[in-house]
Amino acid sequence: MGLGGMNKLNWIGRSLPRVEDKKFLMGRGGYIDDMDLHGMLHVAVLRSPFAHAIIKGMDTSAAEALPGVVAVITGKQAAELCDWMPDFNPEPNLHKWRVLADEKVRYVGEGVAVVVAESRYIAEDGRDLIEVDYEPLAPVPSARKAQEAGAALLHDGMESNVAHDSTLAFGDVDGEFERAAHIVREHVYWGRTAAQPMETAGSVASYNPGNGMLTIHANSVALTNFSFLVAGTLKIDSNKLDLVPMPAGGSFGSKFWATRATVTAGMCSKFLGRPVKYVEDRLDHALSCDHHGSEREYDIEMAISADGEFRALRLVCTDDYGAYFQFGLGTHGNAMSQVIGPYDIKAISYRAVGVLTNKCQQGAYRGFGSEVHNFALERLVDKAAIELGVDALELRRKNFITPDKFPHKIPGGNVYDSGNYEAVLQEALKDARLDYWRAEQAKAREEGRYVGIGIVTQQERSVYAANEWWFFRGAEGVSSVPESVSLHVDALGKVSVTMYSTAFWGNSPETVAAQVLGEELGVNPDEVSFAYQGTNKGLPGSGPGGSRFTVMITGAVQGASAKIRDKAIKIAAHMLEVAEGDLEYVNGGVQVKGDPSQRKSLAEIAIMPRLFKHQLPDDITSGFDADMVYDHPYTTLPTADRSDLGIFYPMMAHATHIAVVEVDVETGGVKFLDYIAVHDCGTVVNPRSLDGQVIGGLAQGVGQALYEEFVYDDEGQIQSSSWLDYLIPSAMEIPEVRLGHHETPSPFTPYGMKGGGEGGRMHAPAAIASAVDDALKPLGATRATHLPLTPERIISMVNGH
Amino acid sequence: MKPPRFEYLRPDSVGAAVALLNEHGEGARILAGGQSLIPMMNFRIAQPSHLIDITRVPGLDAITDEGNAITIGAAVRQSTVEYSPVVKDRCPLLVEALKWVAHEPIRHRGTVCGSLAHADPHSELAATSLALNATFTVVGASGERQVPAVDFFIGPFTTVIESGEMLSSVSFPVVPAGSGYAIDEFSRTHGNFAIAGGVSVIQLGADGKVASATLSMFGMASRAFRAFAAEERLIGSMPTAEAIAEAADLALVDVDCSADMHGSEEYRAHLGRVYAGRVLTSAVARAQGGSK
Ligand SMILES: Cc1cc2nc3c(=O)[nH]c(=O)nc-3n(C[C@H](O)[C@H](O)[C@H](O)COP(=O)(O)OP(=O)(O)OC[C@H]3O[C@@H](n4cnc5c(N)ncnc54)[C@H](O)[C@@H]3O)c2cc1C
């Protein structure tokens, strides 16, 4: 799409070095912890050592007496200073949460008081002096235990710890299962992990009692169109809060809507009338970030016809949510968008059970629930191939939605915009040297070594819409997910871009905008400058998340550019004394159609509306700026009876991943021999930065599959609160990935782009598990369905447990 | 994750360091590379009142070739040892062991003696000192004493170093010509602490039988330890695969294996036997190949 009759692209599709890199590599990116305001105070949070306990009393006198401590705010006081925390779950009254626990703690690490002091050191010294009187309650350490009769209740207002249990079904599920020639069943467990950005969540708040303005610089509230909710929690007027986005040193979902740091700093600053910084340290982040990832169990089954056609899918998914339910069923809405994977499955039944437990709450982590579903589905497909005695790849191919079927409406209602799954698979196989690896595998087996190959074909939904948050419930919900941009062309024709929301969190918003401006206005991407605007005067922004930013910022830049071009043509028409209709915008200037000799450059045009009002026609106002608020290009509302969930996540990317591993059956260790990843994210803006996204996501997928886990014991004590035990794979554990990109443009987006921000993590776990199974096949091992596949777990699989 | 207040002191001799230790009592701690101590302070697990930095004490950063042993001063960084030509030539096992310790940047600061004094049960260097029969020089107010490795480690993070004492150096006997040695371990990620590992040094007689053998294990119990029963099984025998397998099975006799989220007792015991077998096999192969 793009410009009418667009010629070949000049900038999109090129691996330009990222615009953002230089400032960050030079240490001049301006991270939150580098920010220092005059008279600024620092916060340390006192955290609960118990998983579940009543707070009977607290003695803060010794802390308050410590020189350098300015204030101690207990949970009780915080409950007066602040309202409940913003929460997107559909029944917020049942399980509300506060910035600090006031009456009861519900997980190890939940904050119970803050110490505000002249330095973080003193704040932590003060923290050690607070005495809390806890009355421990029976812990609820897992979703299973939470559902047992007699389990302690986390929230008094609830009848059980089950916060949600409902089923969405589409098509003739029961009929398909009755008619099925084969039914294949699988049980899958996905361990609790979380994004581990180098930079944790943090905020610097500064309250001006003179005008009542609270300015909060934050790296962790991308969803800025909901900033009024933060104002509500802080009990100030929404127009008196300016939430200023800072670049985030990594998010992976965890900074999508992380408000605790912002509310903590904001509360303290408003209370004391002084600037206050709160940046989570690694322990704060591990124990009590806003976003642990999913912890889930699946019972999943598929009805298959006699000739191997996937007919229907039925699953029960039990989520161990932790203590609160801030995003409700967003992670399931997300999974529903690609519930049938790349396969033409006709009917589905999806039961989501949400259970509250004494653990840190769940939120977003690269994939936001869809990656878990991908894992469960591909494990099931692999098992189907074994049970049917057919080749797993052929079974997948047979069930692929074919290119002629797009746009394809799936059971439930979402639409897959475009795709060519066979082509992506072909491209992966072309590089995979499967014959070589099969020969190596045979040779290795003779030597008592175990090599395995895993191949998965999976979806990668992108460009999320808000509907996924609420369609599980009856009510209507929010449906706006806009992204905005402002363009400013100065008197010399130089272009500046203002973005809204926390656009940068390790992705490439500036690079994308610059490359698109290269196409749209013909400017050199290197010469564009960037600024970020806070919420106070800001246009609506929803930020990155759900792999949406590339498409959304492109739409916004494209729309704003069109306004700039229109004005440029108007001005040039006057300058060249030619009718507007005879002019066109080409290569950074306006010229007479077909006559490049009659031309005005953007620089020549730009000075006019800036300085020469009376040399222009009356209807041309001064200034050369354009705002654009871009809405999601393709969504619809669900029907009231939920017989159709509507279109909510239609830009459907796809990938084939092939993992080749060797398993040491004496130790349970897994090592990579090869890895191929081919993605189709529509039109690629910048292959190099997309490569980075895939490799980074893949590394997190490797972590999920083999290493990372927040382990809580039976008492609800967390065992892996530091990186000593929460094992993040390094370059030594990550395979050398051979990457490919296939391009099937989306018919619904600018230039045909799709999102690719969550790629590797959605695919690597299933590919690795599949490869481990293949390696262990000759030993009659049990299947790799429980993540992470720790070495000990692999040994017990080998032993048939 | 900020440490509480402490005083920082920098003595210029071992004597002065020991005097400061005695002056400030229980709250005083030696600071070497800080790669274990500083993280513990950030977590407030350790809250020393005084840090006595020994890394700039003149002479303490020396690696000395004593002929039959290499002596490493308390301020010598792990990476200095790792890249020392003398150590590589005379005690290459130590170089191999260091490759398993943490990551390169940590080895640039961490000291060999600091690791030994710290006595982490997962320590490769502790196990290496056991397998090589190293000697520790411990200095206190009343002078210095020599402690053999087998007596040095008492339990988790505990050695015979008493309050008011410090470790001034450690001497590693050179690996005898013609002997075979090996170190190997299993850790879940590169550079992380081992779940199980072993170190072995083996000498064969002219008849091909095992003349001497040491085997030490780390990562699996409350401290690194010598597996004497396994050694005895091999000494005087032909080092056949069967003999090695039997020795490996004896490596954990009477050992209480530790358990954590990375491995249960049973798994650690299993891995321990696997690694005992692996290092014995490699050490024997090297001895047979005549490698150093
Ligand atoms: C990420 C990471 C991974 C690591 N992985 C490993 C690993 O795989 N294997 C491993 O063995 N270690 C590992 N370590 C620990 C590392 O090797 C440390 O450097 C070492 O254990 C301590 O040495 P140091 O010189 O830094 O001692 P410090 O941290 O300065 O001191 C440690 C302790 O020893 C005491 N001490 C130090 N020197 C003396 C002395 N001369 N006399 C008396 N007491 C003394 C100190 O008072 C303190 O209690 C790792 C560390 C990190 C941070």
Side-chain angles (χ1 to χ4, degrees), chain A residues 744-761:
Chain A
T744 310
S746 171
F748 304 116
T749 64
Y751 299 99
M753 297 168 186
K754 304 183 187 185
E758 292 157 281
R761 188 166 180 270

Side-chain angles (χ1 to χ4, degrees), chain A residues 226-377:
Chain A
F226 284 101
S227 67
F228 66 90
L229 293 176
V230 177
T233 296
L234 287 165
K235 296 191 179 178
I236 57 170
D237 289 341
S238 51
N239 62 345
K240 297 279 174 71
L241 172 68
D242 193 12
L243 209 51
V244 185
M246 300 290 278
S251 163
F252 318 108
S254 73
K255 292 194 175 73
F256 170 67
W257 177 256
T259 53
R260 206 181 327 232
T262 292
V263 171
T264 301
M267 168 183 77
C268 296
S269 179
K270 189 177 161 227
F271 181 58
L272 296 169
R274 289 177 65 178
V276 174
K277 176 190 280 184
Y278 173 58
V279 180
E280 295 172 340
D281 63 24
R282 288 247 74 92
L283 214 47
D284 293 324
H285 187 72
L287 294 172
S288 183
C289 64
D290 294 33
H291 297 258
H292 272 190
S294 294
E295 177 178 354
R296 275 189 184 173
E297 244 171 295
Y298 278 83
D299 282 301
I300 184 167
E301 57 184 357
M302 187 148 65
I304 304 176
S305 73
D307 58 354
E309 210 181 295
F310 298 166
R311 299 296 308 174
L313 194 63
R314 183 154 60 195
L315 65 91
V316 182
C317 175
T318 305
D319 250 298
D320 181 333
Y321 270 103
Y324 306 104
F325 203 38
Q326 65 168 335
F327 287 136
L329 291 157
T331 53
H332 292 292
N334 203 302
M336 286 296 292
S337 73
Q338 51 181 50
V339 64
I340 59 172
Y343 312 114
D344 195 359
I345 301 174
K346 314 290 182 201
I348 61 139
S349 165
Y350 191 115
R351 178 174 165 205
V353 182
V355 184
L356 300 182
T357 56
N358 288 127
K359 296 178 183 172
C360 182
Q361 68 183 349
Q362 283 184 14
Y365 183 17
R366 218 169 186 169
F368 200 49
S370 66
E371 81 286 24
V372 197
H373 182 78
N374 270 2
F375 178 73
L377 182 59

Side-chain angles (χ1 to χ4, degrees), chain A residues 63-75:
Chain A
E64 278 158 11
L66 187 74
V69 168
V70 176
V72 177
I73 301 174
T74 65

Side-chain angles (χ1 to χ4, degrees), chain B residues 200-214:
Chain B
S200 178
V201 182
I202 290 197
Q203 266 185 298
L204 302 178
D207 56 359
K209 289 186 178 163
V210 176
S212 75
T214 58

Side-chain angles (χ1 to χ4, degrees), chain B residues 32-54:
Chain B
Q35 297 305 292
S36 296
L37 184 52
I38 301 294
M40 291 192 301
M41 288 168 61
N42 287 345
F43 280 107
R44 297 191 174 218
I45 297 167
Q47 305 204 0
S49 61
H50 294 78
L51 285 189
I52 302 167
D53 182 353
I54 55 162

Side-chain angles (χ1 to χ4, degrees), chain B residues 29-30 32-37 78 102 106 111 115 117 124 167 191 193:
Chain B
R29 281 293 259 282
I30 298 287
Q35 297 305 292
S36 296
L37 184 52
Q78 292 160 1
I106 290 164
T111 63
S115 170
E124 291 85 0
L167 177 63
F193 292 97

